[in-house]
Amino acid sequence: MVIYPNLIDGQRVESAGRNSDINPSNTGDVVGEFARGSRKDLDDAIAAARQAFGKWSRSTPQERFDILDKAGTEILARKEELGRQLSREQGKPLADGIGEAGRAGYIFKFFAGEAVRLTGDKVESTRPGVDVEVTREPLGVVAAITPWNFPLAIPAWKIAPALACGNTVVFKPAELVPASPWAIVDIVQRAGLPPGVLNLVMGPGSVLGPALAGSADVDAVTFTGSQDVGPSVAAAAVAAGSRVQLEMGGKNPLIVVDDADLAIAVSIAVNGAFFQAGQRCTSSSRLIVTDGIHDRFVAAMIERIKKLVIDDALKPGIDIGPVVDAKQLEKNLSYVEIAKKEGGRLVCGGDRLTRDTDGFYMAPALFTETTNDMRINREEVFGPVAAVIRVKNYEEALAVANATPYGLSSGIATTSLKYANHFKRNSTSGLVMVNQPTAGLDYHVPFGGRKKSSYGPREQGSYAKDFYTIIKTAYTMA
Ligand code: NAD
């Protein structure tokens, strides 16, 4: 069995406790044993990052470009292997695992370029003889806390911009899926990063998370995870005087109006609701469908869902793998019961499946006859469970779509430019899709939500630098 230590100050640091990384498609298969870091490991990592900051913050854009670009090249060259490992430990289909590895590689390449594209402004003063310069500087030590559902891409879109902007990083990934984050750190380290610039501390989130988020020696905290945890991270960071950014869950709507192309509507609804076992923050779990197309849409959805192949993530030709662990499966099944009790009609799926291997397989569940005030339409399940809400017309659909505390992603299936444009302007989410699944995004443009889904500046694309740099305004009397 391979044992993976923490990576602190350029060293492999063993720990007393270990955490087994279990394959959710086949629970007899252990991917590896990973360090369970302690508070001391965390303190050492923060101290190493602080120590390394002085020199790294003065590194040239070219040095940062070279390291990030080299890391991106290695990730892309190994994307099949990294994607296979991701699918094995997380349960998403192999094609999605490889796709995510590729995405992580391109994110490193993109932010390599950003390192040499950081610019400021020279502004004319309101006073004679004075020059004003506005420049961006590195922040300091960045704490990155990530979830288990995109274990290569999310670490990449936090670590790469943090390093590109001259910061040092303490990275704490989710315990459940540690091999992919470990691989990312190993690759970036070997690409030439000086010791202490990037530190990996694996271990229990409930212990290490609050200590990291609330550390007075950390300058910024970037967190992706659940709404249950996010607000406490923000409170701890603010109390410590750190800058903070949160990306959290969603209860994303997909509107299907009468004039939609039925085949497109079904294809994007099935993809958005069920692919990757509904374990995407951008999954569409509320399907808001107008009267005229409702019955045809539901019938076509059931037909399509019944043909979905659910099996071992590494088997060729599957559509959906297992959910990530026993706890998530239990939660999904409990929401199926909750929805039934609230009066929803289960028209397909919703039960546990058995396959050749012992894994956490579940048949995608579709409910009809639900209303927006039911728990199934208000709370994030994070599983393959979707509910149809029947509405009279587009205007009612829009009102229902926006009537949620969340605001991450939203979509509409329509052939009408009028509805498409109106929806883009009036949806209260950070991401809006027209005839596209609510999940599945480009890596070079900003990503993030509104309302309870997000807090702070956007991640990804050129906008990421607004979080990872601090502005200085300098006045010079010529
Ligand atoms: P989670 O909130 O349980 O954990 C996220 C991270 O926080 C993990 O590293 C965990 O160890 C750590 N953590 C746990 N307790 C902590 C605490 N008290 N203080 C600080 N950190 C703590 O989320 P998860 O189950 O890993 O991931 C699923 C959630 O992530 C879903 O809600 C999903 O919508 C969300 N998500 C959001 C986005 C986005 O960009 N909006 C992307 C992916 C996932």
Side-chain angles (χ1 to χ4, degrees), residues 144-150 154 157-158 171-176 203-214 221 223-230 232-234 236 246-252 278-283 324 327-328 331 380-382 406 408 431 441 447-449 453-454 459-460:
I145 303 176
T146 61
W148 47 262
N149 64 332
F150 286 96
I154 295 179
W157 79 53
K158 293 185 187 301
F171 170 36
K172 199 220 80 64
E175 301 95 294
L176 215 45
S206 56
V207 177
L208 300 181
L212 181 56
V221 181
F223 168 89
T224 300
S226 65
Q227 174 66 31
D228 294 341
V229 173
S232 69
V233 168
L246 309 175
E247 281 302 334
M248 297 169 288
K251 197 69 209 171
N252 307 300
Q279 297 175 148
R280 293 180 289 185
C281 51
T282 45
S283 288
V324 75
K327 205 166 136 217
Q328 186 64 51
K331 181 179 177 195
E380 184 187 49
V381 179
F382 218 53
Y406 291 112
L408 186 52
L431 305 158
L441 306 153
F447 168 85
S453 290
S454 294
E459 301 202 83
Q460 300 195 64

Side-chain angles (χ1 to χ4, degrees), residues 36 72 81 163 360 458:
R36 270 178 86 78
E81 170 213 334
L163 298 179
F360 307 113
R458 287 283 179 264

